[in-house]
Amino acid sequence: MPEPGISTRAVVAATAEPVAGQPFLAGPVFASAYHLPVPEDDSLDTYGRASNPSWRQWESGLAALEHADSALVFGSGMGAIASTLRALVRPGQTLVVPEDGYYQTRRYATENLAALGINVVAAGVDQIVDAAAQADVVVAETPSNPRLDVVDLALLARTAHAHGAVLVVDNTTATPMGQRPLELGADLVVASATKALSGHSDLIAGYAAGSRADLISAVAQERSRAGAILGPFEAWLGARSLATAGLRFERQCQNALAVATMLREHPAVASVRYPGLPGDPSYPVAAAQMARFGSLVSVELASAGAVHTLVRRSELLASSTSFGGVHTSVDRRARWGDAVPPGFARISLGIEDTDDLLADIEAALAAGTV
């Protein structure tokens, strides 16, 4: 072979030794290309949209946290729930979704899936068990977002299974550090990993997890065909985040309980919801099925202006529609069309020192009433 040109030498210099089953470049890597083994075999890594080492590293960790046999990562939480529903529900069947839950899940079901001939029923926390008796697939979100109602998952699972329905639980707000729905009878768990699991506000991702091979296989096929896939660098960021997830979530829950306790007695606050607060309507069920109660506190102030003033006067609160990050944030949910009063706000507690948060929020509320 004659002396290679500069471009050829550059390509060779940047190329790792081809090893069957290993990524083309050292991870984190783009999801192609892969060196296929010779002779041919049933290697997992034939095409990066179906599976790749970067995904599998994070998926194994997520499966372990959820006590599942398998997990599948997606490009977003909506990618996970939409792919799961497309894989499980057929025209003519009945799908139950939460009346109080992530509004995009509800809209996807009522606008997109209903148009395909699927009967969609939106049920509140008090109706979902009865609705499950008439369903083929049930989606529960607990604690619900944003009102933080809690569903008795063991009861819901028994009812759904007695009538042949599949139960899917959105575990975004609780995370597997707070609640493991599969152990309570759920068939699949879905979640937005954008929130507390990644926790650094630097990626968008989702996942589905479970131990029923038939359901996981169907969802994996839908992911590959529809292309709702995660980038390899985002998978690396997600895997990186797992090591500190328990510590972060523990502090977030500690802060949430402290803030909820303080706000419950504050004259500027009309109502407070937090599942871990004794006296909250959700507390009895939450205490029975949750190890930790989550990072979200819902409050009602006098008006939308009062919420804006709280954020503006605070030195620590950020205005953000996502949650679960290391910074404490506030979101006025009526702006997105949720059926809540104008002054209803969801506070996502971060990992700041508890005393600093309490002092900051109290001072901001006091300034808003002057």
Side-chain angles (χ1 to χ4, degrees):
M1 178 179 179
E3 179 72 17
I6 187 65
S7 294
T8 302
R9 286 183 304 199
V11 169
V12 171
T15 303
E17 182 71 20
V19 178
Q22 295 300 308
F24 188 65
L25 296 174
V29 299
F30 286 102
S32 63
Y34 292 100
H35 297 287
L36 297 180
V38 179
E40 299 172 6
D41 66 10
D42 295 326
S43 170
L44 287 172
D45 297 323
T46 55
Y47 196 70
R49 194 180 67 246
S51 181
N52 64 74
S54 298
W55 292 355
R56 291 198 298 275
Q57 179 187 12
W58 193 17
E59 287 171 339
S60 64
L62 292 169
L65 288 180
E66 292 284 4
H67 284 199
D69 289 346
S70 303
L72 303 166
V73 293
F74 290 81
S76 67
M78 273 307 301
I81 185 64
S83 295
T84 297
L85 294 181
R86 285 196 304 269
L88 300 186
V89 193
R90 297 288 176 263
Q93 293 185 326
T94 296
L95 167 67
V96 174
V97 295
E99 186 178 60
D100 176 40
Y102 184 45
Y103 73 105
Q104 293 286 25
T105 299
R106 189 167 57 253
R107 289 187 64 181
Y108 180 75
T110 57
E111 296 177 15
N112 297 74
L113 297 181
L116 300 177
I118 293 167
N119 179 36
V120 177
V121 176
V125 64
D126 295 327
Q127 296 87 39
I128 194 167
V129 173
D130 290 338
Q134 309 297 324
D136 296 284
V137 176
V138 180
V139 178
E141 181 181 315
T142 182
S144 64
N145 174 20
R147 289 199 292 261
L148 301 180
D149 289 321
V150 174
V151 176
D152 186 332
L153 288 180
L155 175 60
L156 180 60
R158 289 195 299 270
T159 303
H161 294 157
H163 294 85
V166 172
L167 175 59
V168 179
V169 175
D170 186 332
N171 204 30
T172 301
T173 55
T175 84
M177 284 90 69
Q179 172 179 268
R180 288 195 289 268
L182 297 175
E183 294 181 348
L184 296 167
D187 298 294
L188 284 177
V189 165
V190 296
S192 169
T194 308
K195 311 301 192 294
L197 274 185
S198 61
H200 293 80
S201 306
D202 54 9
L203 77 149
I204 294 176
Y207 70 92
S211 297
R212 282 187 54 177
D214 58 332
L215 301 183
I216 289 292
S217 177
V219 176
Q221 184 180 81
E222 178 64 29
R223 176 183 67 174
S224 181
R225 290 178 177 174
I229 62 172
L230 185 69
F233 185 70
E234 286 78 7
W236 179 83
L237 287 172
R240 164 218 63 178
S241 301
L242 287 188
T244 60
L247 291 172
R248 287 185 281 104
F249 195 66
E250 184 175 13
R251 171 60 71 85
Q252 289 169 326
C253 294
Q254 171 187 319
N255 284 342
L257 179 59
V259 167
T261 301
M262 183 267 285
L263 291 178
R264 182 174 56 179
E265 304 300 330
H266 200 285
V269 178
S271 66
V272 176
R273 292 297 308 275
Y274 182 64
L277 196 62
D280 187 275
S282 293
Y283 181 77
V285 176
Q289 71 185 26
M290 300 181 71
R292 295 186 178 92
F293 299 105
S295 64
L296 300 183
V297 175
S298 291
V299 300
E300 185 183 346
L301 303 184
S303 64
V307 178
H308 299 154
T309 299
L310 169 66
V311 176
R312 187 173 62 252
R313 298 278 187 174
S314 165
E315 296 183 6
L316 297 179
L317 304 181
S319 179
S320 171
T321 189
S322 192
F323 61 87
V326 295
H327 301 92
T328 296
S329 62
V330 177
D331 189 27
R332 194 181 71 84
R333 293 304 302 173
R335 67 180 295 192
W336 307 113
D338 284 343
V340 293
F344 183 99
R346 185 188 65 199
I347 303 177
S348 171
L349 279 304
I351 63 171
E352 300 92 345
D353 288 295
T354 305
D355 289 342
D356 293 335
L357 273 174
L358 294 174
D360 178 73
I361 294 173
E362 195 158 17
L365 287 172
T369 59
V370 173

